[in-house]
Amino acid sequence: MQLKTDRLILRPLEEKDAADLFPVMNDPDVTANLLLPHPYPAEKVSAWIRSCHAAYEVCERYDLAVVRKDTGQVIGVCSLCKVSWEHLSAELVYWIGKPHWGQGFITEAARKVLEYGFLELGLERVCVGCFACNTASRRVIEKLGFIYEGTARGEYKKLGVRYDTLHFGMLREDITNASGD
Amino acid sequence: MLLETERLILRPIEETDVPALFPLINDADVARNLMRVPYPYPEEQYAPWIRKAREAMERKEQYDMAVVLKETGLPIGAIGFHDVVWSHMRAEMGYWFGKPYWGNGYATEAAMGMLQFGFDELGLERIHAYSFTRNKASANVLRKIGMTYEGSARHAFRKNGEFLDIFLFGIIREEFAARP
């Protein structure tokens, strides 16, 4: 499987991506917004990629490397996680290296992954969440056409601090609105 | 472990509860509102489910309690914490009651007991609950025990081929401590 957009290629993670992804997974500005542990040990990156691959083989997760066409560099990951074939639902997760922020790469990648989820996989619903303090992610989520569905107060605890989480959802019937712009 | 409220005893569910609880849970009107309970419920699966729940309780991953009416000594339903996530100090609460016992405030009373147990004994910091949006009675219970409506997830659950919307309710430790 491989998806293409104007500037990106999206394809299942491979173990060789560990070299590009390790610095991203250890950037505190990236992990501040994620549930990843910090620091992320180098030897665990390959194991994590292997577990993603195993889950991909059984259609439980789709973790895609986000590759820049111009440089061939893997700049981040865009995933459909917690895929439920019973409920035809999944959760969108993404993260990308700081040098590539602010250029619309996440929006471009996520839009393609959503299209894949709804049109190829036949999902009914995709949800996405972000910490309430993560305004950049919220902007991306709204640009993608997600509908705000609520705020779970104090849902996560990181280093002793509780975080509120914003929850968003997109239904198959919403995607026509999202792809309109 | 034993929790007591005015009219109820909450204690870990046991395999010996099957004869009393099975006829109550194997009810289309009860199962209609539940995420984890099929209808018809295959009887041979109930005791193994209880056994698994007990093992999960020993690992502190979930807490499934039978709700016993003091007056008769009979179990009338069940309540529990599922999806206990210790790294985030939170749990999901769920419950069901046999139809003959609906409308007496037992769910509210049992759920208040569980909140107290969760916050005061387990030290949780957040407890949340889901209900199908069509289940107005449960949403009322969740409001009555002091939970706040936090949002609705559209088409988040498929039951018998139908996509259902889900209400999310939550309460955090500080709110429970400040209750009237």
Side-chain angles (χ1 to χ4, degrees):
Chain A
M1 162 211 182
Q2 191 183 85
L3 306 174
K4 282 184 180 160
T5 67
D6 278 358
R7 300 175 292 167
L8 303 169
I9 292 175
L10 306 164
R11 48 116 182 114
L13 283 176
E14 296 166 12
E15 273 197 70
K16 66 174 167 61
D17 299 333
D20 279 343
L21 291 177
F22 175 69
V24 184
M25 295 171 87
N26 272 286
D27 180 339
D29 289 334
V30 173
T31 57
N33 298 317
L34 304 171
L35 294 171
L36 289 182
H38 183 81
Y40 203 97
E43 67 276 11
K44 286 200 174 155
V45 178
S46 295
W48 172 71
I49 291 177
R50 273 197 302 278
S51 74
C52 291
H53 216 93
Y56 172 76
E57 294 293 329
V58 294
C59 303
E60 276 173 9
R61 294 174 62 103
Y62 296 80
D63 292 283
L64 305 178
V66 178
V67 187
R68 275 182 77 143
K69 280 185 186 170
D70 57 356
T71 61
Q73 193 189 355
V74 180
I75 61 171
V77 176
C78 189
S79 314
L80 288 173
C81 309
K82 299 185 190 164
V83 177
S84 165
W85 294 105
E86 184 183 356
H87 303 296
L88 294 182
S89 61
E91 180 180 353
L92 177 74
V93 173
Y94 48 76
W95 44 272
I96 196 167
K98 205 159 50 170
H100 310 279
W101 287 6
Q103 299 164 63
F105 286 120
I106 283 291
T107 312
E108 191 171 321
R111 190 163 279 160
K112 194 72 189 174
V113 168
L114 287 171
E115 188 186 297
Y116 178 75
F118 285 113
L119 303 181
E120 298 297 320
L121 300 181
L123 297 177
E124 165 71 11
R125 168 187 168 83
V126 176
C127 68
V128 64
C130 68
F131 291 144
C133 52
N134 186 358
T135 47
S137 193
R138 177 172 194 159
R139 265 200 304 277
V140 168
I141 289 168
E142 286 173 342
K143 213 179 336 168
L144 288 167
F146 277 92
I147 310 277
Y148 170 73
E149 294 184 329
T151 300
R153 296 158 312 138
E155 187 176 14
Y156 292 99
K157 188 167 185 174
K158 265 179 78 161
L159 306 172
V161 180
R162 301 207 65 83
Y163 289 85
D164 295 351
T165 314
L166 310 183
H167 289 260
F168 302 81
M170 188 186 288
L171 304 186
R172 187 208 299 262
E173 66 200 43
D174 296 334
I175 196 171
T176 40
N177 309 334
S179 53
D181 62 338
Chain B
M1 180 196 332
L2 193 134
L3 311 173
E4 193 172 349
T5 66
E6 199 189 329
R7 297 174 292 168
L8 306 168
I9 305 265
L10 281 57
R11 51 130 181 98
I13 196 164
E14 298 164 2
E15 284 179 64
T16 52
D17 291 324
V18 170
L21 288 180
F22 181 74
L24 299 176
I25 199 171
N26 189 31
D27 177 332
D29 291 332
V30 171
R32 183 173 189 275
N33 296 323
L34 301 177
M35 292 184 184
R36 299 177 175 90
V37 173
Y39 179 81
Y41 198 119
E43 186 161 8
E44 71 281 6
Q45 288 178 18
Y46 198 38
W49 184 87
I50 291 176
R51 231 177 357 256
K52 280 203 194 99
R54 292 294 298 241
E55 288 161 14
M57 189 178 307
E58 276 161 33
R59 296 191 303 268
K60 301 184 192 302
E61 289 170 4
Q62 67 190 63
Y63 294 83
D64 285 280
M65 318 290 277
V67 179
V68 178
L69 196 56
K70 279 187 194 171
E71 196 187 337
T72 61
L74 288 174
I76 60 171
I79 190 162
F81 291 138
H82 306 105
D83 206 5
V84 181
V85 184
W86 289 106
S87 54
H88 301 295
M89 299 303 280
R90 63 169 146 86
E92 178 192 336
M93 183 169 71
Y95 48 79
W96 65 267
F97 287 82
K99 206 161 41 171
Y101 304 98
W102 289 5
N104 295 294
Y106 293 136
T108 305
E109 192 173 320
M112 272 309 285
M114 282 304 276
L115 288 187
Q116 193 149 13
F117 171 65
F119 287 121
D120 295 348
E121 301 297 320
L122 299 181
L124 297 175
E125 295 180 19
R126 168 184 167 84
I127 297 172
H128 65 267
Y130 299 109
S131 76
F132 293 136
T133 56
R134 67 187 184 190
N135 185 0
K136 308 287 183 243
S138 194
N140 276 337
V141 167
L142 299 172
R143 274 193 199 90
K144 263 194 270 183
I145 62 171
M147 283 195 174
T148 300
Y149 168 74
E150 295 184 325
S152 302
R154 299 163 305 145
H155 288 205
F157 201 92
R158 184 159 63 155
K159 196 170 170 94
N160 304 326
E162 186 187 359
F163 288 104
L164 300 174
D165 298 348
I166 291 177
F167 284 141
L168 170 64
F169 284 84
I171 182 167
I172 52 179
R173 191 179 179 78
E174 294 74 19
E175 289 169 332
F176 185 73
R179 72 192 181 281

